[in-house]
């Protein structure tokens, strides 16, 4: 669920790691649901799936995920702007300017946000305008339908998901609250692994780098027996009951994460026995739960 990283085309190392947490083996098809509110992003992913030689059972849903169903507005880059400016910049004498314009247009393509402008949009827009020598507005508002976590799984007749990856430019916490509400009511199984963006300094108005909304969601997830194994620009959590029941998942967590106690600062690799019978677990950056 997001606008940047996608399990459909896992070119980034962290996405490959997360996919390894799934229970499928090499002979099975990848099963997943991708959600994106921008047609220009969704279209290429559909082409990737159509041209892929690997077996997959992936559904791509045009829309956005959120806490409540309904209609909203997505703030995004104007349709066709990047392609048009690329053609304009082909004649520009400065190679540096061409690189700068295309780089920041790529950022803008990945800054689509629901209900308001991404905090970094204006800054990148100014850099594009300055380097390209243009003065047009690059922002576009489009209507988009919001689906809850429950809506999405019911549409696909799914009982849950093993790995939930969210990069929704400020809407991550709303999606997680939707997930928690559905799982609390027993409608779906709890995801075994969750990763979402934690960049409170961007999305919170207090400007102190701490986002109370993110803190609250992390606390609620920990109350539901999630272990925080990584916290930096993104948070990764693993469901402890799943670790206790699944040796494969415990081995995966042991292979990729190190824990640090924020009291004694002791850093260690996660061994399976400690992960399953946990009394003090912290992430490699000094933040965790007890």
């Amino acid at each position: 669920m997001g606008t940047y990283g996608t399990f459909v085309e896992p070119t980034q190392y962290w996405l490959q790691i997360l996919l390894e947490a799934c229970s499928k083996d090499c002979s099975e098809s990848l099963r997943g649901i991708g959600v994106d509110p921008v047609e220009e992003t969704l279209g290429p992913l559909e082409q990737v799936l159509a041209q892929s030689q690997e077996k997959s059972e992936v559904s791509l849903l045009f829309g956005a995920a959120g806490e409540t169903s309904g209609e909203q507005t997505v703030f995004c880059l104007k349709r066709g702007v990047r392609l048009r400016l690329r053609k304009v910049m082909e004649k520009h004498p400065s190679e540096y300017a061409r690189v700068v314009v295309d780089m920041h247009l790529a950022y803008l393509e990945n800054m689509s946000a629901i209900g308001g402008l991404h905090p970094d949009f204006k800054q990148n827009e100014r850099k594009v305008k300055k380097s390209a020598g243009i003065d047009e507005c690059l922002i576009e508002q489009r209507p988009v339908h919001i689906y809850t976590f429950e809506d999405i799984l019911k549409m696909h007749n799914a009982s849950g998901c093993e790995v939930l990856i969210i990069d929704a430019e400020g809407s991550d916490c709303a999606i997680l609250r939707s997930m928690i509400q559905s799982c609390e009511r027993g409608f779906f199984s709890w995801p075994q692994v969750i990763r979402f963006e934690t960049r409170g300094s961007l999305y919170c108005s207090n400007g102190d780098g701490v986002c109370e909304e993110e803190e609250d969601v992390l606390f609620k997830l920990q109350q539901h027996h999630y272990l925080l194994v990584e916290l930096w620009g993104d948070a990764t959590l693993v469901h402890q009951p799943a670790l206790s029941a699944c040796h494969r998942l415990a081995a995966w967590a042991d292979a990729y994460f190190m824990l640090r106690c924020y009291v004694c600062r002791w850093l260690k690799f996660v061994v399976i026995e400690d992960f399953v019978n946990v009394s003090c677990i912290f992430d490699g950056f000094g933040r965790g739960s007890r």
Side-chain angles (χ1 to χ4, degrees), residues 119-181:
D120 284 344
F121 199 103
K122 283 291 187 181
Q123 175 187 350
N124 284 275
E125 183 188 37
R126 283 194 296 270
K127 290 179 179 178
V128 170
K129 289 180 177 182
K130 181 178 178 181
S131 297
I134 60 173
D135 193 32
E136 66 173 292
C137 177
L138 304 181
I139 303 166
E140 185 171 276
Q141 298 182 36
R142 306 179 191 172
V144 65
H145 187 77
I146 307 294
Y147 299 92
T148 64
F149 183 81
E150 180 179 342
D151 292 336
I152 294 167
L153 292 188
K154 280 186 174 180
M155 287 173 64
H156 295 83
N157 195 28
S159 60
C161 66
E162 291 181 335
V163 180
L164 176 60
I165 307 170
I166 308 173
D167 181 11
E169 308 303 335
S171 299
D172 301 52
C173 291
I175 297 170
L176 285 168
R177 286 194 295 269
S178 175
M179 181 275 293
I180 291 171
Q181 292 164 11

Side-chain angles (χ1 to χ4, degrees), residues 55-119:
K55 293 188 296 183
S56 66
E57 297 176 20
V58 174
S59 170
L60 296 176
L61 178 62
F62 176 51
E67 194 167 4
T68 56
S69 303
E71 301 302 315
Q72 258 282 17
T73 300
V74 59
F75 290 71
C76 57
L77 184 66
K78 274 185 179 178
R79 197 184 306 271
V81 163
R82 188 178 184 188
L83 181 61
R84 177 164 55 82
L85 285 182
R86 270 182 172 176
K87 292 180 178 179
V88 170
M89 294 302 291
E90 285 177 358
K91 302 176 182 179
H92 200 285
S94 170
E95 182 179 355
Y96 175 77
R98 293 196 297 270
V99 171
V100 168
V101 168
D102 199 57
M103 178 179 68
H104 288 285
L105 284 171
Y107 291 156
L108 291 173
E109 281 186 336
N110 292 309
M111 288 179 182
S112 304
I114 304 298
L117 204 60
H118 187 287

Side-chain angles (χ1 to χ4, degrees), residues 24-286:
K24 86 174 198 72
D25 59 36
C26 297
S27 63
E28 291 181 309
S29 301
L30 174 66
R31 296 185 299 275
I33 305 168
V35 184
D36 200 293
V38 180
E39 291 175 279
E40 297 93 303
T41 308
L42 208 62
L45 295 180
E46 291 175 333
Q47 292 179 356
V48 168
L49 289 176
Q51 297 169 3
S52 176
Q53 296 181 351
E54 296 183 9
K55 293 188 296 183
S56 66
E57 297 176 20
V58 174
S59 170
L60 296 176
L61 178 62
F62 176 51
E67 194 167 4
T68 56
S69 303
E71 301 302 315
Q72 258 282 17
T73 300
V74 59
F75 290 71
C76 57
L77 184 66
K78 274 185 179 178
R79 197 184 306 271
V81 163
R82 188 178 184 188
L83 181 61
R84 177 164 55 82
L85 285 182
R86 270 182 172 176
K87 292 180 178 179
V88 170
M89 294 302 291
E90 285 177 358
K91 302 176 182 179
H92 200 285
S94 170
E95 182 179 355
Y96 175 77
R98 293 196 297 270
V99 171
V100 168
V101 168
D102 199 57
M103 178 179 68
H104 288 285
L105 284 171
Y107 291 156
L108 291 173
E109 281 186 336
N110 292 309
M111 288 179 182
S112 304
I114 304 298
L117 204 60
H118 187 287
D120 284 344
F121 199 103
K122 283 291 187 181
Q123 175 187 350
N124 284 275
E125 183 188 37
R126 283 194 296 270
K127 290 179 179 178
V128 170
K129 289 180 177 182
K130 181 178 178 181
S131 297
I134 60 173
D135 193 32
E136 66 173 292
C137 177
L138 304 181
I139 303 166
E140 185 171 276
Q141 298 182 36
R142 306 179 191 172
V144 65
H145 187 77
I146 307 294
Y147 299 92
T148 64
F149 183 81
E150 180 179 342
D151 292 336
I152 294 167
L153 292 188
K154 280 186 174 180
M155 287 173 64
H156 295 83
N157 195 28
S159 60
C161 66
E162 291 181 335
V163 180
L164 176 60
I165 307 170
I166 308 173
D167 181 11
E169 308 303 335
S171 299
D172 301 52
C173 291
I175 297 170
L176 285 168
R177 286 194 295 269
S178 175
M179 181 275 293
I180 291 171
Q181 292 164 11
S182 296
C183 294
E184 280 179 335
R185 296 197 295 269
F187 293 163
F188 306 103
S189 58
W190 293 92
Q192 294 179 356
V193 177
I194 296 172
R195 183 182 174 100
F196 71 102
E197 191 177 47
T198 47
R199 303 179 190 271
S201 58
L202 280 178
Y203 302 112
C204 298
S205 58
N206 56 23
D208 61 3
V210 177
C211 179
E212 291 184 2
E213 184 182 29
E214 290 173 358
E215 294 281 341
D216 289 343
V217 166
L218 283 169
F219 181 68
K220 287 178 182 176
L221 289 170
Q222 289 170 329
Q223 284 183 314
H224 287 290
H225 311 293
Y226 278 93
L227 306 176
L228 181 60
V229 296
E230 179 190 16
L231 181 62
W232 197 246
D234 299 88
T236 304
L237 301 98
V238 186
H239 202 218
Q240 186 181 349
L243 285 171
S244 302
C246 181
H247 184 275
R248 172 196 54 78
L249 186 64
W252 170 83
D254 188 46
Y256 289 114
F257 298 99
M258 296 183 70
L259 309 178
R260 187 197 301 273
C261 175
Y262 76 84
V263 177
C264 65
R265 311 304 296 168
W266 182 41
L267 182 67
K268 64 185 286 291
F269 283 103
V270 182
V271 295
I272 291 175
E273 291 80 5
D274 287 346
F275 219 153
V276 172
N277 304 301
V278 62
S279 59
C280 180
I281 284 193
F282 303 90
D283 69 301
F285 304 100

